[in-house]
Amino acid sequence: MDRGNIWAAMKGLCAAAGVEPSKVFPHNLRHLFARVFYEEDKDIMRLADLLGHSDVNTTRIYVMETGKEHRRLVEKLGLMT
């Protein structure tokens, strides 16, 4: 199976799932894997190895959190009113 086959299969599933095909790309699966792996393992160096990155800063792009996520985490601490 190559990227073209995966692309076609993903685009075909979009209609059934009600997802806009222009929002779906095979590389999204790589990002999803990276985020799920990091959530479980919290080892960015191991993730960099798995993804084949020679620079961990490249890997950071896959697991960066948004400002909204940061705010939620700070609020969860209950230190701010």
Side-chain angles (χ1 to χ4, degrees), residues 6-64:
I6 294 169
W7 185 285
M10 289 177 75
K11 296 296 180 178
L13 292 171
C14 287
V19 174
E20 178 63 40
S22 65
K23 304 273 186 193
V24 177
F25 303 94
H27 198 78
N28 295 50
L29 295 175
R30 184 173 172 88
H31 279 268
L32 177 62
F33 168 80
R35 292 201 56 106
V36 170
F37 182 90
Y38 186 74
E39 284 297 315
E40 286 296 316
D41 195 59
K42 299 292 189 212
D43 187 339
I44 199 163
M45 296 302 291
R46 187 182 330 224
L47 178 58
D49 287 343
L50 283 170
L51 295 175
H53 295 159
S54 58
D55 184 348
V56 73
N57 286 315
T58 303
T59 311
R60 288 185 67 227
I61 294 167
Y62 286 75
V63 297
M64 285 175 44

